[in-house]
Amino acid sequence: MSNIPETGRTQRVTIRLVVLQILVLSLLATLGGRLWYLQIRTGSQYAAQAQGNHIREVVEPAVRGEILDASGRVLVGNETKLVVSVSRTSLLQQKDRGKAVLTRLAGVLGLQPKDVQDKVRLCDAKTPKPCWNGSPYQPIPVTQQATTQQAMQIMERREDFPGVTAQPTAVRRYTGVEGASAAQVLGYLSPVTDDEVTKTADKTGRERRLPSDQIGRAGLESVYDDDLRGTTGVDKLEVDNLGKVIGSAGTVPAQSGNNLVTSIDARVQKVVEDQLAQAMTDARKVYDKETHKNYEADSGAAVVMDVHTGRIIAMASAPTFDPNLWVGGITAKDYQALTDKGSNYPLINRAIQGLSAPGSTFKVISTTAAVQAGYSLDGHYPCPPSMTIGGREFKNFEGESFGEISLEKALEISCDTVFYYLSYDQWLKDGGIKPKNPADWFTKTAHQYGLGAKTGVDLPSEVAGRVPDRQWKQSFYDANKDAWCAQAAKGGHEYADEIARENCQDGNVMRAGDAVNFAIGQGDTLVTPLQMARIYSALANGGTLYRPTIGKAVMSPDGKLVRDIAPHEDGKIPAQGKLLDYIDQATAGVVTSGTAAWKFVGAGWPQGKIELHAKTGTAEVAGKQTTSWLTTYSGDYAVVMTISQGGTGSGGSGDSVRRIYQALYGVDDKGAVDNGKALLPKPQSELPKFNPDGTAIIKQASYDAPGDRAFLDPAPATGTGAPAVLALAALEPARATGRSRG
């Protein structure tokens, strides 16, 4: 009898069939589960994605808000230009990756093919400018200066220019209203990056970044970007599988950004910029007997501040530049010119980033420190031609000697040796090189005046400066000891070698020389012009330290108030009451009979009508010519000017600072006061008035400046505008050493 079953299958075949059935059933179950997951569980999600696959978004950029001066004049606005843009996506689809298209485009635009190719390449760590640092999927602007004829050639020959568009676009423009630049203050725009687009993909409104967006990267454009930017509009189009538009899926209209009203007065800004430039030009004509050549006057800054609010009326930095160079993408040649060492870095805002020793302008702080330490305002202190401290001779300027004098007289004539005596005596009381619970009145008082910390101004990249107290000396020593000792071991005889030997041995110790240098604003002390303007404003207003501000209010496009930016009190300076009055009287004496008299009262300033106060400073810097400082105030304004390698305080800056006050108060060269010619006899507190269309109403006025004439535009301010890119960096000067001159 056969062992084969009736079905004709062996046991092995039967097992195989069972296994096969199980596999088939498993696959069917898996497929069914997946279908359930896709169609039931996540069906709505994938349906939405499928819907999105045939939706294309057309972006309508929002009109960016304007930046206005205190009267409503447009400092930064917008204007319509013909912009030619290129899609990298379309170029990469060409066989030659778009090279022929870009060559033809360069011919139409009158540009070199390489220049066009450089503009559309993507930026990375190895790619020099010009290049594109925005999204690679966003149309890249090649020029914002296309003519109508060029645009027509491109649009009529679309087959020759795939991926190229030419259309009217609102672009930023720095207007230079009233001739004022304010280049380092206003800031710049640049395209968003892919990371910024990705990080805000789930946001809505102004918080969302689209590939076509440009955002503020520096200056006021950066700080107030959320207010200025507006909301980009999006038109969602339905397309078929061939990309043909078949309908609309909805539209989100663009919303214009708000306007920023600043405290800057464009007319005063122009005067300050011109006078800073003039001071530097004049300084270069003066012979420096120390270096046996004329002063270089390589850079400078000036600030005008409302002493009662901390609002900045004008802020100038030199060297400067034309911000419109950046519109449409800066050329490699222009970028090189702005960043080359020989340019002395005009992109830096030296009012908030320029660091130098303050020289004798610091003596108002040292006077306060001495009084806090117990030295009498009624006392008299020695002003010999020099003092020997720690085995070194510390001299007065040109060896001057005035005998026993008051602190008031010491400020007026800027006697260094009085402050040497006071700081050295206090250093001894603190324990000298072996202190026990030192009071450190001089460094402590500097901190109380706000030095060694940022002012909090509404500009990015401000630097804090330096108060070289014991804590700083220890941290600096820890970071540099090995380098100092290595240099000292070489046994050199240069000045730097001598300093290295000293610092290797006891660089963390507050030495007598450190104390006396600090008292006259020398040594390792570093300040910014804005910090000094803030301090002298506090002396003028009764002792309040205000936070400096430039933004005054945010206004809607139709001129309605969105948000007021109120003045902010940060604290009080330690000089109050009798001491404050004493310093006030001493600084007035600087103008009438002290180190600045020859540039003010001696030059016809009407001190009896408009009282000014001043302190001059001439800071010495190792390896460089002296830095000119002039810090001043009236009942309304603090005006500070500094010029690197510019000579003495009054000699380098005196004439220009006086002319700034002449413009503010309407004073002519003979001392006559004409309020009708005054640019701003009192700070402007009210906001500008606006027409129904949002343009500001500017009152007609005129001003005869010494040697110049400027008129205000009686017409309403209108928006015209373009981006400027400011590369900000903080450069620290060489270590300041030696005596300070008034």
Side-chain angles (χ1 to χ4, degrees), residues 380-408:
H380 284 69
Y381 305 94
C383 181
S386 66
M387 289 183 67
T388 300
I389 299 172
R392 286 187 178 181
E393 185 179 29
F394 292 81
K395 296 181 179 180
N396 243 346
F397 175 51
E398 296 184 343
E400 296 171 323
S401 178
F402 294 92
E404 298 276 332
I405 61 174
S406 65
L407 287 174
E408 179 183 344

Side-chain angles (χ1 to χ4, degrees), residues 591-613:
V591 172
T592 57
S593 56
T595 54
W598 66 301
K599 292 296 185 181
F600 286 89
V601 172
W605 180 260
Q607 184 74 351
K609 297 179 181 178
I610 304 172
E611 186 174 78
L612 298 183
H613 304 255

Side-chain angles (χ1 to χ4, degrees), residues 206-492:
R206 297 189 183 188
E207 294 183 1
R208 185 186 179 192
R209 303 286 192 268
L210 296 176
S212 61
D213 284 349
Q214 300 231 352
I215 61 176
R217 299 292 187 192
L220 295 175
E221 293 274 33
S222 171
V223 174
Y224 293 97
D225 182 72
D226 287 343
D227 295 299
L228 295 167
R229 186 159 29 88
T231 304
T232 302
V234 178
D235 187 8
K236 296 182 178 181
L237 303 177
E238 293 182 352
V239 298
D240 59 19
N241 60 338
L242 298 178
K244 182 180 179 181
V245 177
I246 59 176
S248 174
T251 299
V252 178
Q255 296 180 3
S256 298
N258 293 317
N259 298 329
L260 175 67
V261 177
T262 71
S263 55
I264 297 291
D265 186 291
R267 303 163 303 165
V268 179
Q269 179 72 26
K270 165 65 172 173
V271 170
V272 173
E273 290 174 355
D274 287 350
Q275 290 306 320
L276 176 60
Q278 187 64 53
M280 294 172 65
T281 298
D282 292 344
R284 296 183 188 118
K285 300 174 183 177
V286 178
Y287 183 74
D288 176 18
K289 61 183 180 182
E290 295 286 340
T291 59
H292 307 292
K293 62 180 181 180
N294 287 5
Y295 287 105
E296 294 185 19
D298 55 8
S299 62
V303 177
V304 178
M305 180 180 287
D306 177 352
V307 301
H308 298 292
T309 63
R311 286 175 171 150
I312 296 170
I313 310 301
M315 177 181 284
S317 179
T320 188
F321 64 98
D322 178 8
N324 289 303
L325 288 174
W326 299 85
V327 176
I330 190 168
T331 66
K333 180 180 178 181
D334 287 336
Y335 186 79
Q336 178 68 21
L338 292 176
T339 56
D340 184 77
K341 184 177 180 180
S343 70
N344 205 15
Y345 311 108
L347 303 178
I348 295 172
N349 184 352
R350 285 173 165 82
I352 65 170
Q353 297 171 301
L355 290 169
S356 69
S360 292
T361 63
F362 188 82
K363 289 174 181 174
V364 296
I365 298 172
S366 294
T367 299
T368 305
V371 173
Q372 291 200 110
Y375 297 90
S376 175
L377 286 176
D378 299 322
H380 284 69
Y381 305 94
C383 181
S386 66
M387 289 183 67
T388 300
I389 299 172
R392 286 187 178 181
E393 185 179 29
F394 292 81
K395 296 181 179 180
N396 243 346
F397 175 51
E398 296 184 343
E400 296 171 323
S401 178
F402 294 92
E404 298 276 332
I405 61 174
S406 65
L407 287 174
E408 179 183 344
K409 188 68 174 178
L411 285 172
E412 183 181 310
I413 64 174
S414 204
C415 176
D416 287 343
T417 48
V418 165
F419 294 96
Y420 291 153
Y421 165 77
L422 292 169
S423 58
Y424 180 57
D425 188 58
Q426 184 59 38
W427 178 80
L428 291 173
K429 291 179 179 178
D430 282 343
I433 60 174
K434 296 181 179 180
K436 292 183 179 180
N437 300 318
D440 288 335
W441 281 112
F442 282 80
T443 55
K444 182 184 296 182
T445 302
H447 284 297
Q448 291 172 337
Y449 268 91
L451 295 182
K454 297 178 182 180
T455 67
V457 65
D458 50 348
L459 288 174
S461 304
E462 180 189 14
V463 296
R466 177 197 297 158
V467 174
D469 53 20
R470 297 181 193 274
Q471 181 181 356
W472 175 82
K473 286 188 70 67
Q474 184 62 56
S475 62
F476 195 63
Y477 177 77
D478 293 340
N480 294 279
K481 178 183 178 181
D482 292 343
W484 285 330
C485 293
Q487 183 174 351
K490 296 178 181 179

